Amino acid sequence: EAGVVQSPRYKIIEKKQPVAFWCNPISGHNTLYWYRQNLGQGPELLIRYENEEAVDDSQLPKDRFSAERLKGVDSTLKIQPAELGDSAVYLCASSSGGDYGYTFGSGTRLTVV
Amino acid sequence: KNEVEQSPQNLTAQEGEFITINCSYSVGISALHWLQQHPGGGIVSLFMLSSGKKKHGRLIATINIQEKHSSLHITASHPRDSAVYICAVRSGNNDMRFGAGTRLTVKP
């Protein structure tokens, strides 16, 4: 089992540039989460998918952030244009729901300069 | 006030010491998770609790639903236990809320 796979692991971009992150969840996990984690803080939910439907995107800054999960499997998270304050680790997690735990990816560390 | 509060924020211990990290929450939950995050690494799920106590190796997690409190204990701590430990609570709709984490450093 490969676990939750995220890419890239690191990304450095200039402000105002676009950036995209990719997540491949564990096979069969219907629920997929994108989190943002700032230094010294816990993860904050950006968006949650149940299959291909975004069921909670209330914390997603929709003016610059977008996400999709076509076919209910892989997901991409995009920022356009990036701002300095977007520098953080972006984590993807998946779950099969019920009483099962979550599995997190290794995250993408974004640095906006 | 955060819905999930952890204490202490930072903890330094000597190898072999018994360690306790506390988590209090203010919302109704269906489960509580303890997570471990190493520097530069991803997050690993240690425990998922809905009642009582669980043990895995040197790690013990307890939860008191009435008091809305959970503790993570590490017995015979080791430098490789150094990490950030995060408490997270899950509500019935699969929503997760995270604590800010406890940074543990175990010195040899």
Side-chain angles (χ1 to χ4, degrees), chain A residues 72-84:
Chain A
V73 182
D74 294 4
S75 178
T76 56
L77 177 69
K78 298 178 182 178
I79 309 174
Q80 182 172 9
E83 297 179 352
L84 295 176

Side-chain angles (χ1 to χ4, degrees), chain B residues 64-107:
Chain B
N64 185 316
I65 297 294
Q66 287 73 31
E67 295 185 2
K68 294 188 175 180
H69 180 269
S70 175
S71 293
L72 176 68
H73 305 287
I74 305 175
T75 62
S77 60
H78 190 275
R80 64 175 175 265
D81 297 326
S82 298
V84 174
Y85 292 84
I86 301 172
C87 172
V89 298
R90 178 157 60 102
S91 60
N93 65 351
N94 257 349
D95 190 19
M96 287 272 275
R97 295 283 183 248
F98 294 81
T102 295
R103 183 174 299 278
L104 171 66
T105 303
V106 181
K107 295 184 176 180

Side-chain angles (χ1 to χ4, degrees), chain A residues 35 42-43 102 104, chain B residues 3-6 22-25 27-36 43-45 47-50 63 70 85-91 95-101:
Chain A
Y35 295 95
Y102 285 52
F104 284 83
Chain B
E3 293 169 318
V4 183
E5 295 278 357
Q6 284 186 238
N22 295 300
C23 174
S24 296
Y25 54 92
V27 295
I29 69 168
S30 60
L32 181 144
H33 299 256
W34 279 103
L35 311 169
Q36 182 190 54
I43 295 176
V44 175
S45 178
F47 293 104
M48 184 180 68
L49 296 162
S50 54
I63 187 169
S70 175
Y85 292 84
I86 301 172
C87 172
V89 298
R90 178 157 60 102
S91 60
D95 190 19
M96 287 272 275
R97 295 283 183 248
F98 294 81

Side-chain angles (χ1 to χ4, degrees), chain A residues 46-98:
Chain A
L46 291 174
I47 190 168
R48 172 167 63 94
Y49 283 95
E50 297 290 347
N51 297 304
E52 67 273 12
E53 181 183 1
V55 297
D56 184 355
D57 62 356
S58 57
Q59 301 302 314
L60 189 72
K62 298 180 181 63
D63 57 335
R64 299 183 299 107
F65 285 65
S66 64
E68 60 182 12
R69 192 186 184 195
L70 301 176
K71 301 181 181 179
V73 182
D74 294 4
S75 178
T76 56
L77 177 69
K78 298 178 182 178
I79 309 174
Q80 182 172 9
E83 297 179 352
L84 295 176
D86 296 331
S87 295
V89 174
Y90 290 83
L91 291 161
C92 178
S94 70
S95 168
S96 57

